[in-house]
Amino acid sequence: MEDGGRRRRRRWAVLGAALAGTVLISGVGLWATDSWPLKDSYCWGAWKQDSGPRFLGEKGIALADARRASAESGTPGSDGATATCTLTVTSALSDSHSEEPTRFEDKVTLSYGPVPEAPGERRAWIDRYFNGTASPLPDGLDGLVADDRGMLILPEACDVDGRPSAVTLWAEGWGDGHLGKVAMSLSLGSESDVSTMLLDAADTGMRKAGCAPEKPLRMSSPLVRLAERTGSGAGRPICRIPGVEFPLEKGGRNSDVRVGVVGDRLQTCSVVWTKRGAPDEPAAQFVMAGSPRTAAVFAGLPEGAEHGLVRTTCDGRSTVFYAHIGTGLGDAGGKKDRRVFEAFTAAVGQRIGCEPAKGTEETEGTTEGAAG
């Protein structure tokens, strides 16, 4: 316990120096034990205590007054609605700058259900789970994982009203002290750990929903981390794709370009605004999706280059090109946004052997090359 306390204070000393220079609160991730007898399973029985991923474990950094609790809302498959479960660790540390302790909350939210129906909510969902920090699951599994999130698109038997169902994980952490409420990054573990949590939750959810395949979903191949961060992108094409360019003015915020998957059936890249002590804010998202289940996520959204969504055929398979450019970065679907989107479709389409996408045939100056 004493060594763990020293580690926490050292971690926060680094973050506190970046935020204000004088804060004394805990660092990234509170892998805490309960002070009362702990339930041995969580979230409809999907996860068990000490099952591998460190967020579920009893070891690591621990505080005497830490509490862990889980709460379920709904059951997978019930009326086709989204069911959620949250697993939360709360704790506190004394703050030398305040009589009140600094309080912490680390939370992972598990969701099972169809992708959102409303276009705005669907785009926000895509921005979150197709983020460029995430790497693809192997062995034909349609999903992505990072250390703080995960998404798996389920088999067609689990569709609801024509929309694919998915299992998602989302981690977030907060510290609340004399500086106010501060967002803190939270890692659930390695990408392999998150994959384990994701697949266990998917198998449990599908069984309860009555759409589970005969064999549980499993990975037999190693997960390969592909995601990388390329900084602000200033002075060079975003996502390493010629023609995909924006003026990334700071204005009190920093931009972060995250190049994710670059494959024949999936390509992802994200631009986010970052600010110390605040959650990342999506600025732009680019996706090429060529597998049937992944492409199904985009069905029902408004289509056309002006909406940032077109379909075409690439090497004999139906493929979706998608972009969501935030109003703080682009021109709200105007000529500039369309020009960037068409540069994206042309460059990536040429790389993977696509026919011209409907609605983009009049792009001026076809762009050559793509991220790879």
Side-chain angles (χ1 to χ4, degrees):
M1 295 287 289
E2 190 173 329
D3 289 341
R6 285 198 295 268
R7 286 198 297 272
R8 284 190 300 279
R9 286 190 286 271
R10 284 198 298 271
R11 289 182 182 184
W12 180 251
V14 175
L15 181 57
L19 286 171
T22 58
V23 185
L24 183 64
I25 61 179
S26 76
V28 176
L30 298 175
W31 317 118
T33 59
D34 291 313
S35 59
W36 68 84
L38 181 68
K39 295 180 180 179
D40 62 358
S41 65
Y42 313 95
C43 300
W44 313 293
W47 301 331
K48 295 187 181 301
Q49 173 186 334
D50 288 330
S51 59
R54 64 192 186 195
F55 192 78
L56 304 176
E58 288 301 297
K59 297 180 180 180
I61 299 174
L63 297 176
D65 63 347
R67 297 288 187 271
R68 175 157 41 192
S70 63
E72 298 171 2
S73 176
T75 303
S78 178
D79 299 323
T82 296
T84 63
C85 175
T86 59
L87 182 58
T88 306
V89 173
T90 57
S91 58
L93 278 179
S94 60
D95 187 340
S96 62
H97 296 274
S98 173
E99 294 182 358
E100 294 295 323
T102 298
R103 303 186 185 281
F104 301 94
E105 179 179 272
D106 289 348
K107 180 172 68 175
V108 57
T109 301
L110 164 66
S111 297
Y112 177 106
V115 298
E117 184 174 13
E121 294 178 9
R122 181 94 60 90
R123 292 187 183 102
W125 190 95
I126 292 167
D127 288 350
R128 172 174 286 187
Y129 296 110
F130 283 82
N131 190 275
T133 59
S135 298
L137 296 173
D139 302 321
L141 295 169
D142 290 287
L144 294 158
V145 293
D147 67 352
D148 64 346
R149 72 194 75 194
M151 176 273 293
L152 176 66
I153 304 164
L154 302 179
E156 190 173 356
C158 299
D159 284 5
V160 175
D161 296 331
R163 286 177 287 146
S165 291
V167 173
T168 60
L169 299 179
W170 174 250
E172 55 190 332
W174 299 89
D176 195 355
H178 76 275
L179 286 183
K181 195 171 184 179
V182 176
M184 305 175 72
S185 60
L186 174 61
S187 171
L188 295 174
S190 68
E191 291 184 345
S192 178
D193 286 340
V194 178
S195 301
T196 298
M197 294 178 69
L198 190 65
L199 294 179
D200 287 346
D203 287 334
T204 298
M206 288 188 294
R207 286 198 303 272
K208 290 189 174 295
C211 62
E214 292 184 6
K215 294 183 179 180
L217 301 179
R218 290 292 181 267
M219 297 189 322
S220 58
S221 303
L223 192 150
V224 179
R225 192 178 192 283
L226 300 176
E228 64 174 285
R229 294 185 176 184
T230 63
S232 69
R236 60 181 181 272
I238 292 172
C239 306
R240 301 198 305 266
I241 300 176
V244 179
E245 300 176 359
F246 294 106
L248 296 174
E249 296 91 359
K250 292 188 176 181
R253 301 181 296 181
N254 295 318
S255 60
D256 192 9
V257 179
R258 301 165 178 177
V259 178
V261 186
V262 183
D264 291 341
R265 298 198 175 199
L266 183 64
Q267 182 161 337
T268 62
C269 183
S270 307
V271 183
V272 298
W273 298 117
T274 63
K275 187 177 180 179
R276 291 190 182 107
D280 291 344
E281 180 183 344
Q285 179 68 40
F286 299 91
V287 181
M288 177 275 292
S291 71
R293 293 306 293 158
T294 305
V297 167
F298 302 87
L301 291 175
E303 296 192 14
E306 68 277 16
H307 298 295
L309 178 62
V310 296
R311 298 175 184 273
T312 188
T313 301
C314 304
D315 196 23
R317 60 182 178 273
S318 178
T319 301
V320 169
F321 289 86
Y322 168 88
H324 182 205
I325 302 170
T327 54
L329 187 62
D331 61 352
K335 291 182 179 179
K336 292 181 181 178
D337 285 359
R338 176 165 178 154
R339 197 156 47 237
V340 168
F341 177 66
E342 291 176 345
F344 167 66
T345 60
V348 177
Q350 185 179 58
R351 179 177 69 80
I352 63 176
C354 300
E355 299 174 3
K358 184 178 181 181
T360 64
E361 297 89 340
E362 297 180 0
T363 302
E364 295 181 7
T366 301
T367 306
E368 297 184 359

Short mmCIF file of all heavy atoms in Angstrom, two decimals, residues 42-71:
data_model
loop_
_atom_site.label_atom_id
_atom_site.label_comp_id
_atom_site.label_asym_id
_atom_site.label_seq_id
_atom_site.Cartn_x
_atom_site.Cartn_y
_atom_site.Cartn_z
N TYR A 42 -19.43 -9.53 -12.88
CA TYR A 42 -20.04 -8.25 -13.22
C TYR A 42 -20.71 -8.35 -14.59
O TYR A 42 -20.38 -9.20 -15.41
CB TYR A 42 -18.99 -7.14 -13.30
CG TYR A 42 -18.02 -7.09 -12.15
CD1 TYR A 42 -16.79 -7.72 -12.23
CD2 TYR A 42 -18.34 -6.41 -10.98
CE1 TYR A 42 -15.89 -7.68 -11.18
CE2 TYR A 42 -17.45 -6.36 -9.92
CZ TYR A 42 -16.23 -7.01 -10.03
OH TYR A 42 -15.35 -6.96 -8.98
N CYS A 43 -21.62 -7.43 -14.83
CA CYS A 43 -22.18 -7.20 -16.16
C CYS A 43 -22.76 -8.48 -16.77
O CYS A 43 -22.21 -9.04 -17.72
CB CYS A 43 -21.13 -6.56 -17.08
SG CYS A 43 -20.54 -4.96 -16.46
N TRP A 44 -23.88 -8.91 -16.18
CA TRP A 44 -24.60 -10.10 -16.63
C TRP A 44 -23.75 -11.36 -16.57
O TRP A 44 -24.01 -12.34 -17.27
CB TRP A 44 -25.14 -9.91 -18.06
CG TRP A 44 -25.83 -8.59 -18.24
CD1 TRP A 44 -27.01 -8.18 -17.66
CD2 TRP A 44 -25.38 -7.49 -19.03
NE1 TRP A 44 -27.31 -6.90 -18.04
CE2 TRP A 44 -26.33 -6.44 -18.89
CE3 TRP A 44 -24.28 -7.28 -19.86
CZ2 TRP A 44 -26.20 -5.22 -19.53
CZ3 TRP A 44 -24.14 -6.07 -20.50
CH2 TRP A 44 -25.08 -5.05 -20.33
N GLY A 45 -22.69 -11.33 -15.74
CA GLY A 45 -21.81 -12.48 -15.61
C GLY A 45 -20.72 -12.55 -16.67
O GLY A 45 -20.01 -13.55 -16.75
N ALA A 46 -20.57 -11.48 -17.46
CA ALA A 46 -19.56 -11.50 -18.54
C ALA A 46 -18.13 -11.49 -18.00
O ALA A 46 -17.23 -12.09 -18.59
CB ALA A 46 -19.78 -10.31 -19.47
N TRP A 47 -17.92 -10.75 -16.92
CA TRP A 47 -16.56 -10.59 -16.38
C TRP A 47 -16.49 -11.10 -14.96
O TRP A 47 -17.42 -10.95 -14.17
CB TRP A 47 -16.16 -9.11 -16.39
CG TRP A 47 -16.19 -8.49 -17.73
CD1 TRP A 47 -15.99 -9.10 -18.94
CD2 TRP A 47 -16.45 -7.11 -18.04
NE1 TRP A 47 -16.10 -8.20 -19.97
CE2 TRP A 47 -16.39 -6.96 -19.44
CE3 TRP A 47 -16.73 -5.99 -17.26
CZ2 TRP A 47 -16.59 -5.74 -20.08
CZ3 TRP A 47 -16.93 -4.77 -17.88
CH2 TRP A 47 -16.85 -4.66 -19.27
N LYS A 48 -15.33 -11.67 -14.62
CA LYS A 48 -15.11 -12.18 -13.28
C LYS A 48 -13.90 -11.50 -12.65
O LYS A 48 -12.98 -11.09 -13.34
CB LYS A 48 -14.90 -13.70 -13.31
CG LYS A 48 -16.14 -14.45 -13.78
CD LYS A 48 -15.97 -15.95 -13.64
CE LYS A 48 -17.21 -16.69 -14.15
NZ LYS A 48 -18.42 -16.30 -13.41
N GLN A 49 -13.96 -11.42 -11.35
CA GLN A 49 -12.85 -10.85 -10.60
C GLN A 49 -11.57 -11.62 -10.87
O GLN A 49 -11.57 -12.85 -10.98
CB GLN A 49 -13.20 -10.91 -9.11
CG GLN A 49 -12.09 -10.51 -8.18
CD GLN A 49 -12.48 -10.75 -6.74
OE1 GLN A 49 -13.66 -10.73 -6.41
NE2 GLN A 49 -11.50 -10.95 -5.89
N ASP A 50 -10.46 -10.86 -11.04
CA ASP A 50 -9.14 -11.47 -11.28
C ASP A 50 -9.12 -12.37 -12.50
O ASP A 50 -8.45 -13.41 -12.52
CB ASP A 50 -8.67 -12.26 -10.05
CG ASP A 50 -8.29 -11.35 -8.90
OD1 ASP A 50 -7.84 -10.22 -9.16
OD2 ASP A 50 -8.43 -11.77 -7.74
N SER A 51 -9.85 -11.98 -13.55
CA SER A 51 -9.92 -12.82 -14.75
C SER A 51 -8.84 -12.49 -15.77
O SER A 51 -8.81 -13.06 -16.85
CB SER A 51 -11.30 -12.68 -15.41
OG SER A 51 -11.56 -11.33 -15.76
N GLY A 52 -7.96 -11.55 -15.47
CA GLY A 52 -6.87 -11.23 -16.39
C GLY A 52 -6.66 -9.75 -16.55
O GLY A 52 -5.64 -9.21 -16.11
N PRO A 53 -7.58 -9.04 -17.21
CA PRO A 53 -7.41 -7.60 -17.38
C PRO A 53 -7.27 -6.89 -16.04
O PRO A 53 -7.98 -7.18 -15.09
CB PRO A 53 -8.70 -7.19 -18.11
CG PRO A 53 -9.12 -8.42 -18.83
CD PRO A 53 -8.75 -9.55 -17.92
N ARG A 54 -6.36 -5.94 -15.97
CA ARG A 54 -6.03 -5.35 -14.68
C ARG A 54 -7.17 -4.54 -14.08
O ARG A 54 -7.25 -4.38 -12.87
CB ARG A 54 -4.77 -4.49 -14.80
CG ARG A 54 -4.89 -3.29 -15.71
CD ARG A 54 -3.51 -2.71 -15.97
NE ARG A 54 -3.59 -1.47 -16.72
CZ ARG A 54 -2.55 -0.92 -17.33
NH1 ARG A 54 -1.37 -1.51 -17.27
NH2 ARG A 54 -2.68 0.22 -17.99
N PHE A 55 -8.08 -4.03 -14.91
CA PHE A 55 -9.20 -3.28 -14.36
C PHE A 55 -10.10 -4.17 -13.51
O PHE A 55 -10.80 -3.69 -12.62
CB PHE A 55 -10.02 -2.64 -15.48
CG PHE A 55 -11.02 -1.63 -14.99
CD1 PHE A 55 -10.60 -0.36 -14.63
CD2 PHE A 55 -12.35 -1.94 -14.86
CE1 PHE A 55 -11.51 0.59 -14.16
CE2 PHE A 55 -13.27 -1.01 -14.39
CZ PHE A 55 -12.84 0.27 -14.04
N LEU A 56 -10.08 -5.48 -13.78
CA LEU A 56 -10.90 -6.43 -13.05
C LEU A 56 -10.14 -7.06 -11.89
O LEU A 56 -10.71 -7.88 -11.16
CB LEU A 56 -11.41 -7.53 -13.97
CG LEU A 56 -12.19 -7.08 -15.21
CD1 LEU A 56 -12.53 -8.26 -16.08
CD2 LEU A 56 -13.44 -6.33 -14.80
N GLY A 57 -8.86 -6.73 -11.71
CA GLY A 57 -8.02 -7.42 -10.75
C GLY A 57 -8.02 -6.80 -9.37
O GLY A 57 -8.49 -5.69 -9.14
N GLU A 58 -7.44 -7.53 -8.43
CA GLU A 58 -7.32 -7.09 -7.05
C GLU A 58 -5.93 -6.53 -6.75
O GLU A 58 -5.70 -5.97 -5.69
CB GLU A 58 -7.57 -8.28 -6.11
CG GLU A 58 -9.03 -8.69 -6.06
CD GLU A 58 -9.91 -7.55 -5.58
OE1 GLU A 58 -9.74 -7.11 -4.44
OE2 GLU A 58 -10.73 -7.08 -6.36
N LYS A 59 -5.01 -6.72 -7.67
CA LYS A 59 -3.64 -6.27 -7.44
C LYS A 59 -3.40 -4.94 -8.13
O LYS A 59 -4.22 -4.44 -8.88
CB LYS A 59 -2.65 -7.33 -7.93
CG LYS A 59 -2.77 -8.66 -7.19
CD LYS A 59 -1.78 -9.67 -7.71
CE LYS A 59 -1.91 -10.99 -6.97
NZ LYS A 59 -0.96 -12.01 -7.47
N GLY A 60 -2.25 -4.38 -7.92
CA GLY A 60 -1.91 -3.10 -8.52
C GLY A 60 -2.06 -1.99 -7.49
O GLY A 60 -1.95 -2.22 -6.29
N ILE A 61 -2.31 -0.78 -7.95
CA ILE A 61 -2.46 0.36 -7.05
C ILE A 61 -3.76 0.20 -6.26
O ILE A 61 -4.81 -0.02 -6.83
CB ILE A 61 -2.47 1.67 -7.84
CG1 ILE A 61 -1.14 1.82 -8.59
CG2 ILE A 61 -2.70 2.86 -6.94
CD1 ILE A 61 -1.09 2.99 -9.51
N ALA A 62 -3.66 0.34 -4.93
CA ALA A 62 -4.85 0.15 -4.07
C ALA A 62 -4.89 1.24 -3.02
O ALA A 62 -3.87 1.64 -2.48
CB ALA A 62 -4.81 -1.22 -3.42
N LEU A 63 -6.08 1.69 -2.72
CA LEU A 63 -6.30 2.69 -1.67
C LEU A 63 -7.23 2.11 -0.61
O LEU A 63 -8.17 1.38 -0.95
CB LEU A 63 -6.92 3.96 -2.25
CG LEU A 63 -6.07 4.73 -3.28
CD1 LEU A 63 -6.88 5.89 -3.83
CD2 LEU A 63 -4.78 5.22 -2.66
N ALA A 64 -6.97 2.46 0.64
CA ALA A 64 -7.73 1.86 1.72
C ALA A 64 -9.23 2.17 1.63
O ALA A 64 -10.06 1.38 2.03
CB ALA A 64 -7.18 2.32 3.06
N ASP A 65 -9.57 3.37 1.11
CA ASP A 65 -10.98 3.76 1.08
C ASP A 65 -11.60 3.59 -0.30
O ASP A 65 -12.65 4.15 -0.57
CB ASP A 65 -11.14 5.20 1.55
CG ASP A 65 -10.44 6.19 0.63
OD1 ASP A 65 -9.64 5.74 -0.22
OD2 ASP A 65 -10.69 7.40 0.74
N ALA A 66 -10.95 2.85 -1.18
CA ALA A 66 -11.47 2.68 -2.53
C ALA A 66 -12.74 1.84 -2.51
O ALA A 66 -12.92 0.98 -1.66
CB ALA A 66 -10.43 2.03 -3.42
N ARG A 67 -13.62 2.13 -3.48
CA ARG A 67 -14.87 1.37 -3.61
C ARG A 67 -15.05 0.98 -5.07
O ARG A 67 -14.75 1.75 -5.98
CB ARG A 67 -16.08 2.22 -3.18
CG ARG A 67 -16.05 2.63 -1.71
CD ARG A 67 -16.32 1.45 -0.80
NE ARG A 67 -16.45 1.86 0.60
CZ ARG A 67 -15.44 1.95 1.44
NH1 ARG A 67 -14.19 1.68 1.01
NH2 ARG A 67 -15.64 2.31 2.69
N ARG A 68 -15.56 -0.22 -5.27
CA ARG A 68 -15.87 -0.66 -6.62
C ARG A 68 -17.33 -1.09 -6.65
O ARG A 68 -17.79 -1.78 -5.75
CB ARG A 68 -14.97 -1.82 -7.05
CG ARG A 68 -15.33 -2.38 -8.41
CD ARG A 68 -14.21 -3.12 -9.11
NE ARG A 68 -13.43 -3.96 -8.24
CZ ARG A 68 -12.26 -4.52 -8.60
NH1 ARG A 68 -11.77 -4.28 -9.79
NH2 ARG A 68 -11.59 -5.28 -7.78
N ALA A 69 -18.04 -0.68 -7.70
CA ALA A 69 -19.46 -1.01 -7.81
C ALA A 69 -19.83 -1.19 -9.27
O ALA A 69 -19.23 -0.59 -10.16
CB ALA A 69 -20.31 0.10 -7.19
N SER A 70 -20.81 -2.04 -9.52
CA SER A 70 -21.31 -2.23 -10.88
C SER A 70 -22.81 -2.01 -10.89
O SER A 70 -23.51 -2.21 -9.89
CB SER A 70 -20.99 -3.64 -11.40
OG SER A 70 -21.64 -4.63 -10.62
N ALA A 71 -23.31 -1.55 -12.04
CA ALA A 71 -24.74 -1.30 -12.19
C ALA A 71 -25.16 -1.67 -13.60
O ALA A 71 -24.48 -1.31 -14.57
CB ALA A 71 -25.06 0.16 -11.90
#
